[in-house]
Amino acid sequence: LGEEATSLYEGARAKLAAHIGAPEPRCVVFNRGTTESVNLVAHAWGRKFLREGDEIVLTEMEHHSNIVPWQLAARDTGASLRYVPIADDGLLELDAVRAAVSDRTRVVAVTGQSNVLGTLPPIRDIAEIAHQAGAVILVDGAQFVSHNPVDVSELDVDFLTVSGHKMLGPTSSGGLYAKVQHLE
C-alpha cells in the first residue's frame, strides 16, 4: 500500500511539473497552496539570502498573501520594500518595473494574473529585468496557472506558486515550483 501511495504521489508531482513546463518533477513540492508557497520562499529563501540594504520589489496589484510574508522578511532581515505602481489602465509598465529594480534588488515578487483586475503582467520581461539585476523572481500563480497555459522554463521564473483549489482540486492543495539551482 505504501509503494502504491508513493507511486501515485510521485505521479501527481510529475503531472504538475509537466503542466507548468518544469524541467523535472523534483522542481515541484506539494503544500497547502499559494499562501504557504509564498511564505516558504519568503521565510526560508528570504531569511537565508536577504540582508540589510537589500531590496524586495513588489507591485501595487499584489494579493495580501504576496505582501505580508515579504513585509515580515524585510523586517527580520533589514531589507526594504519597493513597489511598482499600477498604471491608470490597470497594467504594469516595464519602465516602472525597471525604475523599481536596482542593483540592490534581490527578489521581485509579482502576480502572474491579478485576482482583482485580471491583469497579466509581462512575466518574461519582468524576469529578464530581475535577472539582469542579479535578483530572483517569484510569481504568484494562484490565478495565473488556473486560467492560462504556463511554461516556467519559457518564462524563466525562479519560483512559481500553484493553488490546487483554483483548478478544481481539493481545498488546501497546491505547490511550489523552484528552479533546480535553488534546490541544491
mmCIF file of all heavy atoms in Angstrom, residues 19-54:
data_model
loop_
_atom_site.group_PDB
_atom_site.id
_atom_site.type_symbol
_atom_site.label_atom_id
_atom_site.label_comp_id
_atom_site.label_asym_id
_atom_site.label_seq_id
_atom_site.Cartn_x
_atom_site.Cartn_y
_atom_site.Cartn_z
ATOM 1 N N HIS A 19 2.543 20.058 -16.384
ATOM 2 C CA HIS A 19 1.507 21.078 -16.607
ATOM 3 C C HIS A 19 2.084 22.489 -16.627
ATOM 4 O O HIS A 19 1.602 23.342 -17.374
ATOM 5 C CB HIS A 19 0.435 20.950 -15.519
ATOM 6 C CG HIS A 19 -0.681 21.937 -15.653
ATOM 7 N ND1 HIS A 19 -1.612 21.871 -16.659
ATOM 8 C CD2 HIS A 19 -1.010 23.017 -14.898
ATOM 9 C CE1 HIS A 19 -2.470 22.866 -16.528
ATOM 10 N NE2 HIS A 19 -2.125 23.578 -15.466
ATOM 11 N N ILE A 20 3.126 22.738 -15.829
ATOM 12 C CA ILE A 20 3.703 24.085 -15.769
ATOM 13 C C ILE A 20 5.026 24.186 -16.527
ATOM 14 O O ILE A 20 5.695 25.218 -16.466
ATOM 15 C CB ILE A 20 3.881 24.559 -14.306
ATOM 16 C CG1 ILE A 20 4.837 23.646 -13.541
ATOM 17 C CG2 ILE A 20 2.529 24.693 -13.620
ATOM 18 C CD1 ILE A 20 5.241 24.169 -12.173
ATOM 19 N N GLY A 21 5.402 23.133 -17.226
ATOM 20 C CA GLY A 21 6.617 23.168 -18.032
ATOM 21 C C GLY A 21 7.902 23.062 -17.234
ATOM 22 O O GLY A 21 8.967 23.472 -17.703
ATOM 23 N N ALA A 22 7.835 22.493 -16.044
ATOM 24 C CA ALA A 22 9.038 22.314 -15.230
ATOM 25 C C ALA A 22 9.937 21.267 -15.876
ATOM 26 O O ALA A 22 9.445 20.275 -16.412
ATOM 27 C CB ALA A 22 8.669 21.890 -13.814
ATOM 28 N N PRO A 23 11.246 21.459 -15.819
ATOM 29 C CA PRO A 23 12.149 20.516 -16.476
ATOM 30 C C PRO A 23 12.176 19.134 -15.847
ATOM 31 O O PRO A 23 12.516 18.165 -16.519
ATOM 32 C CB PRO A 23 13.520 21.190 -16.362
ATOM 33 C CG PRO A 23 13.392 22.154 -15.246
ATOM 34 C CD PRO A 23 11.960 22.569 -15.201
ATOM 35 N N GLU A 24 11.812 19.045 -14.569
ATOM 36 C CA GLU A 24 11.786 17.737 -13.911
ATOM 37 C C GLU A 24 10.882 17.802 -12.674
ATOM 38 O O GLU A 24 10.692 18.868 -12.086
ATOM 39 C CB GLU A 24 13.194 17.283 -13.540
ATOM 40 C CG GLU A 24 13.977 18.280 -12.714
ATOM 41 C CD GLU A 24 15.412 17.845 -12.509
ATOM 42 O OE1 GLU A 24 15.605 16.860 -11.768
ATOM 43 O OE2 GLU A 24 16.307 18.473 -13.080
ATOM 44 N N PRO A 25 10.307 16.672 -12.285
ATOM 45 C CA PRO A 25 9.374 16.655 -11.161
ATOM 46 C C PRO A 25 9.961 17.123 -9.838
ATOM 47 O O PRO A 25 9.247 17.702 -9.020
ATOM 48 C CB PRO A 25 8.941 15.189 -11.069
ATOM 49 C CG PRO A 25 9.126 14.661 -12.447
ATOM 50 C CD PRO A 25 10.340 15.378 -12.980
ATOM 51 N N ARG A 26 11.251 16.938 -9.612
ATOM 52 C CA ARG A 26 11.810 17.329 -8.318
ATOM 53 C C ARG A 26 11.794 18.840 -8.099
ATOM 54 O O ARG A 26 12.078 19.311 -7.009
ATOM 55 C CB ARG A 26 13.212 16.770 -8.126
ATOM 56 C CG ARG A 26 14.299 17.463 -8.897
ATOM 57 C CD ARG A 26 15.651 16.840 -8.618
ATOM 58 N NE ARG A 26 16.681 17.542 -9.334
ATOM 59 C CZ ARG A 26 17.775 18.023 -8.775
ATOM 60 N NH1 ARG A 26 17.986 17.843 -7.492
ATOM 61 N NH2 ARG A 26 18.664 18.657 -9.501
ATOM 62 N N CYS A 27 11.442 19.609 -9.132
ATOM 63 C CA CYS A 27 11.331 21.064 -9.013
ATOM 64 C C CYS A 27 10.041 21.473 -8.312
ATOM 65 O O CYS A 27 9.838 22.651 -8.032
ATOM 66 C CB CYS A 27 11.341 21.712 -10.391
ATOM 67 S SG CYS A 27 12.878 21.516 -11.288
ATOM 68 N N VAL A 28 9.152 20.524 -8.071
ATOM 69 C CA VAL A 28 7.834 20.817 -7.503
ATOM 70 C C VAL A 28 7.705 20.175 -6.129
ATOM 71 O O VAL A 28 8.009 18.999 -5.962
ATOM 72 C CB VAL A 28 6.707 20.280 -8.426
ATOM 73 C CG1 VAL A 28 5.342 20.460 -7.792
ATOM 74 C CG2 VAL A 28 6.771 20.967 -9.788
ATOM 75 N N VAL A 29 7.259 20.976 -5.162
ATOM 76 C CA VAL A 29 6.907 20.438 -3.850
ATOM 77 C C VAL A 29 5.431 20.719 -3.608
ATOM 78 O O VAL A 29 4.918 21.757 -4.024
ATOM 79 C CB VAL A 29 7.763 21.041 -2.705
ATOM 80 C CG1 VAL A 29 9.217 20.654 -2.856
ATOM 81 C CG2 VAL A 29 7.608 22.545 -2.624
ATOM 82 N N PHE A 30 4.767 19.795 -2.979
ATOM 83 C CA PHE A 30 3.361 19.990 -2.643
ATOM 84 C C PHE A 30 3.237 20.661 -1.286
ATOM 85 O O PHE A 30 4.039 20.428 -0.383
ATOM 86 C CB PHE A 30 2.621 18.645 -2.607
ATOM 87 C CG PHE A 30 2.422 18.040 -3.970
ATOM 88 C CD1 PHE A 30 2.920 16.784 -4.255
ATOM 89 C CD2 PHE A 30 1.727 18.710 -4.960
ATOM 90 C CE1 PHE A 30 2.743 16.211 -5.496
ATOM 91 C CE2 PHE A 30 1.538 18.155 -6.213
ATOM 92 C CZ PHE A 30 2.044 16.895 -6.476
ATOM 93 N N ASN A 31 2.219 21.484 -1.166
ATOM 94 C CA ASN A 31 1.895 22.124 0.104
ATOM 95 C C ASN A 31 0.423 22.503 0.074
ATOM 96 O O ASN A 31 -0.324 21.991 -0.754
ATOM 97 C CB ASN A 31 2.819 23.323 0.369
ATOM 98 C CG ASN A 31 2.760 24.349 -0.743
ATOM 99 O OD1 ASN A 31 1.717 24.560 -1.349
ATOM 100 N ND2 ASN A 31 3.873 24.992 -1.019
ATOM 101 N N ARG A 32 0.018 23.434 0.929
ATOM 102 C CA ARG A 32 -1.401 23.780 1.017
ATOM 103 C C ARG A 32 -1.824 24.873 0.048
ATOM 104 O O ARG A 32 -2.982 25.259 0.036
ATOM 105 C CB ARG A 32 -1.754 24.176 2.439
ATOM 106 C CG ARG A 32 -1.681 22.976 3.384
ATOM 107 C CD ARG A 32 -1.987 23.363 4.790
ATOM 108 N NE ARG A 32 -0.872 24.187 5.264
ATOM 109 C CZ ARG A 32 -0.754 24.646 6.489
ATOM 110 N NH1 ARG A 32 -1.677 24.394 7.382
ATOM 111 N NH2 ARG A 32 0.281 25.371 6.838
ATOM 112 N N GLY A 33 -0.906 25.386 -0.767
ATOM 113 C CA GLY A 33 -1.306 26.364 -1.773
ATOM 114 C C GLY A 33 -0.392 27.564 -1.857
ATOM 115 O O GLY A 33 0.702 27.606 -1.291
ATOM 116 N N THR A 34 -0.884 28.562 -2.568
ATOM 117 C CA THR A 34 -0.091 29.743 -2.871
ATOM 118 C C THR A 34 0.388 30.481 -1.627
ATOM 119 O O THR A 34 1.555 30.868 -1.553
ATOM 120 C CB THR A 34 -0.907 30.680 -3.785
ATOM 121 O OG1 THR A 34 -1.088 30.007 -5.031
ATOM 122 C CG2 THR A 34 -0.193 31.982 -4.036
ATOM 123 N N THR A 35 -0.463 30.688 -0.678
ATOM 124 C CA THR A 35 -0.059 31.417 0.526
ATOM 125 C C THR A 35 1.087 30.705 1.223
ATOM 126 O O THR A 35 2.089 31.324 1.603
ATOM 127 C CB THR A 35 -1.252 31.598 1.482
ATOM 128 O OG1 THR A 35 -2.280 32.335 0.802
ATOM 129 C CG2 THR A 35 -0.847 32.333 2.743
ATOM 130 N N GLU A 36 0.973 29.398 1.375
ATOM 131 C CA GLU A 36 2.046 28.649 2.017
ATOM 132 C C GLU A 36 3.320 28.685 1.164
ATOM 133 O O GLU A 36 4.436 28.764 1.698
ATOM 134 C CB GLU A 36 1.626 27.206 2.275
ATOM 135 C CG GLU A 36 2.651 26.447 3.098
ATOM 136 C CD GLU A 36 2.141 25.104 3.571
ATOM 137 O OE1 GLU A 36 1.626 24.328 2.744
ATOM 138 O OE2 GLU A 36 2.268 24.852 4.781
ATOM 139 N N SER A 37 3.175 28.659 -0.147
ATOM 140 C CA SER A 37 4.335 28.712 -1.032
ATOM 141 C C SER A 37 5.080 30.034 -0.902
ATOM 142 O O SER A 37 6.308 30.064 -0.811
ATOM 143 C CB SER A 37 3.908 28.517 -2.489
ATOM 144 O OG SER A 37 3.439 27.211 -2.706
ATOM 145 N N VAL A 38 4.349 31.152 -0.907
ATOM 146 C CA VAL A 38 4.996 32.457 -0.762
ATOM 147 C C VAL A 38 5.687 32.534 0.593
ATOM 148 O O VAL A 38 6.836 32.993 0.699
ATOM 149 C CB VAL A 38 3.997 33.616 -0.937
ATOM 150 C CG1 VAL A 38 4.675 34.958 -0.635
ATOM 151 C CG2 VAL A 38 3.408 33.628 -2.341
ATOM 152 N N ASN A 39 5.008 32.064 1.635
ATOM 153 C CA ASN A 39 5.616 32.058 2.966
ATOM 154 C C ASN A 39 6.881 31.212 2.996
ATOM 155 O O ASN A 39 7.881 31.600 3.601
ATOM 156 C CB ASN A 39 4.615 31.562 4.016
ATOM 157 C CG ASN A 39 3.741 32.662 4.522
ATOM 158 O OD1 ASN A 39 4.176 33.487 5.322
ATOM 159 N ND2 ASN A 39 2.509 32.696 4.050
ATOM 160 N N LEU A 40 6.859 30.085 2.332
ATOM 161 C CA LEU A 40 8.026 29.204 2.292
ATOM 162 C C LEU A 40 9.222 29.918 1.664
ATOM 163 O O LEU A 40 10.329 29.901 2.205
ATOM 164 C CB LEU A 40 7.690 27.925 1.513
ATOM 165 C CG LEU A 40 8.787 26.884 1.380
ATOM 166 C CD1 LEU A 40 9.240 26.381 2.746
ATOM 167 C CD2 LEU A 40 8.292 25.716 0.530
ATOM 168 N N VAL A 41 9.006 30.584 0.544
ATOM 169 C CA VAL A 41 10.106 31.286 -0.121
ATOM 170 C C VAL A 41 10.548 32.493 0.703
ATOM 171 O O VAL A 41 11.743 32.697 0.927
ATOM 172 C CB VAL A 41 9.719 31.708 -1.555
ATOM 173 C CG1 VAL A 41 10.827 32.525 -2.201
ATOM 174 C CG2 VAL A 41 9.411 30.475 -2.409
ATOM 175 N N ALA A 42 9.598 33.282 1.185
ATOM 176 C CA ALA A 42 9.954 34.483 1.949
ATOM 177 C C ALA A 42 10.698 34.130 3.231
ATOM 178 O O ALA A 42 11.664 34.800 3.600
ATOM 179 C CB ALA A 42 8.704 35.302 2.267
ATOM 180 N N HIS A 43 10.257 33.087 3.897
ATOM 181 C CA HIS A 43 10.852 32.766 5.196
ATOM 182 C C HIS A 43 12.077 31.859 5.094
ATOM 183 O O HIS A 43 12.999 31.990 5.893
ATOM 184 C CB HIS A 43 9.807 32.157 6.126
ATOM 185 C CG HIS A 43 8.714 33.129 6.444
ATOM 186 N ND1 HIS A 43 8.925 34.295 7.136
ATOM 187 C CD2 HIS A 43 7.395 33.120 6.136
ATOM 188 C CE1 HIS A 43 7.793 34.958 7.253
ATOM 189 N NE2 HIS A 43 6.854 34.273 6.649
ATOM 190 N N ALA A 44 12.127 30.967 4.132
ATOM 191 C CA ALA A 44 13.293 30.077 4.001
ATOM 192 C C ALA A 44 14.341 30.721 3.100
ATOM 193 O O ALA A 44 15.451 31.020 3.537
ATOM 194 C CB ALA A 44 12.868 28.714 3.470
ATOM 195 N N TRP A 45 14.004 30.975 1.843
ATOM 196 C CA TRP A 45 14.948 31.598 0.921
ATOM 197 C C TRP A 45 15.297 33.005 1.404
ATOM 198 O O TRP A 45 16.462 33.394 1.458
ATOM 199 C CB TRP A 45 14.366 31.636 -0.498
ATOM 200 C CG TRP A 45 15.302 32.248 -1.487
ATOM 201 C CD1 TRP A 45 16.210 31.593 -2.259
ATOM 202 C CD2 TRP A 45 15.449 33.637 -1.785
ATOM 203 N NE1 TRP A 45 16.913 32.498 -3.023
ATOM 204 C CE2 TRP A 45 16.460 33.748 -2.747
ATOM 205 C CE3 TRP A 45 14.828 34.797 -1.328
ATOM 206 C CZ2 TRP A 45 16.864 34.980 -3.263
ATOM 207 C CZ3 TRP A 45 15.229 36.018 -1.834
ATOM 208 C CH2 TRP A 45 16.234 36.104 -2.793
ATOM 209 N N GLY A 46 14.264 33.786 1.745
ATOM 210 C CA GLY A 46 14.478 35.173 2.143
ATOM 211 C C GLY A 46 15.383 35.331 3.344
ATOM 212 O O GLY A 46 16.301 36.150 3.356
ATOM 213 N N ARG A 47 15.153 34.542 4.356
ATOM 214 C CA ARG A 47 15.982 34.670 5.558
ATOM 215 C C ARG A 47 17.413 34.173 5.343
ATOM 216 O O ARG A 47 18.313 34.570 6.053
ATOM 217 C CB ARG A 47 15.317 33.964 6.721
ATOM 218 C CG ARG A 47 14.155 34.794 7.252
ATOM 219 C CD ARG A 47 13.610 34.252 8.546
ATOM 220 N NE ARG A 47 12.657 35.169 9.133
ATOM 221 C CZ ARG A 47 11.398 35.327 8.744
ATOM 222 N NH1 ARG A 47 10.940 34.624 7.746
ATOM 223 N NH2 ARG A 47 10.608 36.170 9.357
ATOM 224 N N LYS A 48 17.607 33.341 4.342
ATOM 225 C CA LYS A 48 18.963 32.882 4.046
ATOM 226 C C LYS A 48 19.727 33.897 3.193
ATOM 227 O O LYS A 48 20.926 34.100 3.392
ATOM 228 C CB LYS A 48 18.927 31.526 3.327
ATOM 229 C CG LYS A 48 20.312 31.007 3.007
ATOM 230 C CD LYS A 48 20.302 29.611 2.448
ATOM 231 C CE LYS A 48 21.744 29.169 2.187
ATOM 232 N NZ LYS A 48 21.825 27.798 1.727
ATOM 233 N N PHE A 49 19.039 34.527 2.247
ATOM 234 C CA PHE A 49 19.741 35.344 1.268
ATOM 235 C C PHE A 49 19.554 36.853 1.401
ATOM 236 O O PHE A 49 20.346 37.608 0.843
ATOM 237 C CB PHE A 49 19.350 34.907 -0.151
ATOM 238 C CG PHE A 49 19.813 33.530 -0.481
ATOM 239 C CD1 PHE A 49 18.913 32.479 -0.556
ATOM 240 C CD2 PHE A 49 21.163 33.263 -0.694
ATOM 241 C CE1 PHE A 49 19.341 31.198 -0.859
ATOM 242 C CE2 PHE A 49 21.600 31.980 -0.995
ATOM 243 C CZ PHE A 49 20.694 30.946 -1.080
ATOM 244 N N LEU A 50 18.520 37.319 2.088
ATOM 245 C CA LEU A 50 18.310 38.762 2.220
ATOM 246 C C LEU A 50 19.132 39.325 3.361
ATOM 247 O O LEU A 50 19.259 38.701 4.417
ATOM 248 C CB LEU A 50 16.827 39.064 2.451
ATOM 249 C CG LEU A 50 15.892 38.784 1.281
ATOM 250 C CD1 LEU A 50 14.444 38.950 1.710
ATOM 251 C CD2 LEU A 50 16.212 39.690 0.098
ATOM 252 N N ARG A 51 19.668 40.520 3.148
ATOM 253 C CA ARG A 51 20.484 41.209 4.147
ATOM 254 C C ARG A 51 20.051 42.672 4.239
ATOM 255 O O ARG A 51 19.363 43.184 3.351
ATOM 256 C CB ARG A 51 21.970 41.173 3.758
ATOM 257 C CG ARG A 51 22.564 39.802 3.599
ATOM 258 C CD ARG A 51 22.771 39.120 4.951
ATOM 259 N NE ARG A 51 23.293 37.770 4.811
ATOM 260 C CZ ARG A 51 22.544 36.671 4.828
ATOM 261 N NH1 ARG A 51 21.250 36.751 4.960
ATOM 262 N NH2 ARG A 51 23.090 35.481 4.719
ATOM 263 N N GLU A 52 20.507 43.338 5.261
ATOM 264 C CA GLU A 52 20.236 44.757 5.426
ATOM 265 C C GLU A 52 20.720 45.502 4.179
ATOM 266 O O GLU A 52 21.819 45.239 3.682
ATOM 267 C CB GLU A 52 20.941 45.294 6.665
ATOM 268 C CG GLU A 52 20.542 46.707 6.993
ATOM 269 C CD GLU A 52 21.029 47.160 8.351
ATOM 270 O OE1 GLU A 52 21.363 46.302 9.191
ATOM 271 O OE2 GLU A 52 21.070 48.374 8.555
ATOM 272 N N GLY A 53 19.880 46.394 3.682
ATOM 273 C CA GLY A 53 20.208 47.161 2.482
ATOM 274 C C GLY A 53 19.707 46.535 1.195
ATOM 275 O O GLY A 53 19.658 47.207 0.160
ATOM 276 N N ASP A 54 19.337 45.256 1.227
ATOM 277 C CA ASP A 54 18.761 44.611 0.043
ATOM 278 C C ASP A 54 17.346 45.126 -0.183
ATOM 279 O O ASP A 54 16.716 45.677 0.724
ATOM 280 C CB ASP A 54 18.714 43.090 0.220
ATOM 281 C CG ASP A 54 20.088 42.441 0.172
ATOM 282 O OD1 ASP A 54 21.049 43.097 -0.268
ATOM 283 O OD2 ASP A 54 20.191 41.273 0.587
#
